[in-house]
Amino acid sequence: MKLRHKLIFFAVTPLMIAFCVIALVVRHQTIQLGAQQRLSIEQAYQSSKDAELRHYVDLAEHAVSHLYDSGLSDAATKRAAMHILAQLDYGNDGYFFVYDFAGNTVMHPRQPELLEKNLWDWTNVDGTKTIQLLIARARAGGGYERYLWKKPSSNTVAPKLAYVIALPKWGWIIGTGIYLDDVDAALTKIDQQISGHVRDTMSLIGAIAIMSVVAIACCGLFLNLSEHRVADAKLRELAQRVVVSQEEERARVSRDLHDGVSQYLVSIKLQTEAAIIKLDTPEQLSSARASFERTVNQMHDLLGEIRHISHDLRPAILDDLGLSSALQHLCEEWEAHSGPKIDFISDGASTASSVVVNTVLFRIAQEALNNVRRHAQASHVSLELLDDGACFTLTIRDNGVGFDTSLIAQHPTRGIGLRNMSERLAAVGGRFAIFSSQTGTTVQAKVAHLSRVEAHV
């Protein structure tokens, strides 16, 4: 389960990093495209306003050109020109203004309070001398000038773009301007749209990322559920095997008790009863003594049989002296009862292993030797227990006839002992391997040192 969680974590983390990188790149590109779009629109607005202003001033100049080109510069001619210019307003805030080269207001249709006032030294709210800038621009051949001015329709100060020209023979400058707050509002709206697009794009990427994580999590949950089902099935199978093993062990103990201990006890009982009867007759004392001696010998054999059964159930030497001594004793008993020579090799370091690991390795050795006795037809067997500092290695080799491991593994009823050995090792984190050929079989069990700590937990 922990491994599955780690795999999900390692799958989600690069995905989230990729989405973050994509989001940053897309955000950067969107902002750049928005800035380029804003600049293009601003330039288009600027060009449009420039052309519009120049067109308006050209119309105004053309409207008074017949008076200006007449060569007259008297007050009546100038008043006629101012009257024409005053009538040329457009829109709510479009009008023409006239100043002389000294900064006096000659005409201003929307702010009559400025008439005949000298604004040469007038300073705008931004600290600039606006009238001087307009006069200088007109006398330099005409052109555009940006400044702040009160907007007649709203009576508020707003940015304004003006185009001015000079009428040198009259000492005038003529100009008109367009307020730019509508342009700024349009650009502000564009900025808001760009920000909205960025937010929408980031939200979409975030939603895709969340859906991807949820999908991976669902897949992980599905795999975990599947893994749980497999684990439950394995547990049920293992529980069934445990029950079968318990029943087989109980049947074996029952047979041993019935065929061995019970027979001895019946024989001892009969001989003891016969000897007691003989004690009543002095002439049969020697015969009774012989019966009791046979009974003692049978009791000695019975004790050996009980020790053998007890040793199969749980060898006391494993708890008292450790795994190495228990394995050596197992080899001695096996050689005494089975015949083939067995070599035992141990480096003696196995005494540091846990009780559970000791038991697992002992049972594997016991099962492997029983298999050799029943099936191998071997003339030589070796049992080796080594500790390389990282793990314990138990190896049982024989020079018997061998068998096909794949066929045994696939058979439903055979190979139970091999599966038991493998499952015992898996329970303590060990590894089980078996190699077999016509020249013999090798069974190997490895348990890491860490397993002895886990086994105590």
Side-chain angles (χ1 to χ4, degrees):
M1 185 66 70
K2 291 182 178 179
L3 178 59
R4 182 74 64 188
H5 290 165
K6 289 181 179 178
L7 291 176
I8 295 175
F9 173 77
F10 286 128
V12 169
T13 301
L15 181 64
M16 294 304 297
I17 293 175
F19 272 116
C20 290
V21 172
I22 292 172
L24 292 175
V25 172
V26 171
R27 183 177 183 276
H28 177 70
Q29 293 294 330
T30 305
I31 292 174
Q32 276 194 332
L33 290 174
Q36 292 174 0
Q37 180 184 7
R38 186 186 191 280
L39 180 61
S40 299
I41 295 174
E42 186 177 8
Q43 290 175 346
Y45 267 115
Q46 185 70 39
S47 299
S48 174
K49 296 298 183 183
D50 290 348
E52 185 179 357
L53 285 176
R54 187 166 192 134
H55 176 69
Y56 287 150
V57 173
D58 287 343
L59 288 176
E61 184 181 14
H62 180 71
V64 299
S65 61
H66 66 286
L67 297 173
Y68 184 74
D69 293 337
S70 67
L72 299 175
S73 60
D74 56 280
T77 303
K78 291 182 178 179
R79 280 197 300 272
M82 286 188 289
H83 179 72
I84 293 172
L85 293 174
Q87 300 302 314
L88 296 176
D89 59 350
Y90 52 92
N92 293 328
D93 299 304
Y95 60 89
F96 291 91
F97 55 82
V98 180
Y99 295 95
D100 63 19
F101 288 169
N104 296 304
T105 305
V106 177
M107 187 202 72
H108 203 298
R110 300 299 177 89
Q111 291 180 279
E113 69 273 9
L114 298 178
L115 292 176
E116 298 181 358
K117 285 187 177 182
N118 187 280
L119 300 180
W120 180 264
D121 292 322
W122 179 77
T123 303
N124 208 334
V125 292
D126 59 355
T128 61
K129 296 184 181 301
T130 304
I131 306 303
Q132 292 184 21
L133 294 174
L134 292 173
I135 294 172
R137 179 69 65 186
R139 298 188 70 175
Y144 301 95
E145 193 68 40
R146 187 187 291 263
Y147 56 94
L148 296 175
W149 198 263
K150 184 182 292 185
K151 192 174 184 180
S153 61
S154 62
N155 202 27
T156 57
V157 176
K160 187 175 184 179
L161 177 66
Y163 185 79
V164 292
I165 60 172
L167 299 177
K169 290 188 293 185
W170 289 356
W172 285 5
I173 67 166
I174 299 175
T176 186
I178 297 176
Y179 289 94
L180 301 177
D181 52 348
D182 57 338
V183 177
D184 293 339
L187 294 176
T188 301
K189 186 176 181 180
I190 292 172
D191 291 337
Q192 293 174 350
Q193 290 176 348
I194 293 172
S195 299
H197 291 325
V198 172
R199 285 194 301 270
D200 293 342
T201 303
M202 294 300 102
S203 299
L204 180 60
I205 294 176
I208 294 173
I210 292 174
M211 288 188 293
S212 300
V213 172
V214 170
I216 293 176
C218 291
C219 291
L221 180 60
F222 176 76
L223 292 175
N224 283 337
L225 292 176
S226 300
E227 191 177 64
H228 274 302
R229 294 191 187 98
V230 173
D232 290 341
K234 289 183 178 179
L235 285 176
R236 286 193 296 271
E237 182 182 358
L238 182 60
Q240 292 174 357
R241 289 184 183 177
V242 169
V243 171
V244 171
S245 298
Q246 288 177 340
E247 293 302 322
E248 290 178 350
E249 185 66 16
R250 288 172 180 172
R252 185 188 65 81
V253 173
S254 176
R255 287 193 302 271
D256 290 343
L257 291 176
H258 180 272
D259 297 340
V261 175
S262 295
Q263 298 299 326
Y264 277 118
L265 289 176
V266 169
S267 177
I268 291 172
K269 177 179 178 295
L270 294 176
Q271 291 192 37
T272 302
E273 289 175 348
I276 291 173
I277 294 173
K278 292 177 182 179
L279 288 176
D280 295 336
T281 306
E283 294 81 6
Q284 294 184 342
L285 288 178
S286 60
S287 177
R289 179 182 180 87
S291 296
F292 278 120
E293 289 177 351
R294 285 195 300 274
T295 300
V296 170
N297 290 332
Q298 287 182 339
M299 292 180 66
H300 180 269
D301 294 338
L302 175 61
L303 290 175
E305 183 68 17
I306 292 174
R307 279 197 302 269
H308 178 72
I309 295 174
S310 175
H311 182 78
D312 285 343
L313 292 175
R314 176 70 185 179
I317 192 173
L318 184 62
D319 298 325
D320 297 337
L321 301 179
L323 178 61
S324 182
S325 298
L327 290 177
Q328 185 174 6
H329 181 69
L330 175 65
C331 291
E332 292 172 355
E333 284 194 343
W334 189 88
E335 187 173 344
H337 289 85
S338 302
K341 179 177 175 54
I342 182 169
D343 294 330
F344 175 68
I345 302 172
S346 174
D347 58 6
S350 61
T351 55
S353 60
S354 69
V355 174
V356 175
V357 173
N358 281 346
T359 303
V360 168
L361 292 178
F362 181 83
R363 292 305 183 194
I364 289 173
Q366 198 174 39
E367 181 68 27
L369 291 178
N370 287 335
N371 288 338
V372 172
R373 176 189 293 129
R374 290 194 296 266
H375 310 295
Q377 303 175 23
S379 60
H380 183 267
V381 182
S382 67
L383 190 150
E384 184 180 85
L385 178 66
L386 299 177
D387 180 5
D388 62 3
C391 65
F392 302 105
T393 303
L394 175 68
T395 306
I396 301 98
R397 297 186 181 90
D398 67 72
N399 61 351
V401 296
F403 61 95
D404 191 335
T405 56
S406 60
L407 293 178
I408 292 295
Q410 295 172 0
H411 201 279
T413 58
R414 300 173 63 186
I416 295 177
L418 297 179
R419 287 197 295 271
N420 287 341
M421 287 190 281
S422 178
E423 290 170 359
R424 284 178 184 271
L425 270 174
V428 294
R431 299 188 304 275
F432 177 78
I434 183 167
F435 312 95
S436 186
S437 66
Q438 296 179 351
T439 60
T441 301
T442 299
V443 174
Q444 190 174 78
K446 288 189 175 184
V447 183
H449 282 190
L450 182 63
S451 297
R452 62 187 173 195
V453 177
E454 294 173 345
H456 286 293
V457 176

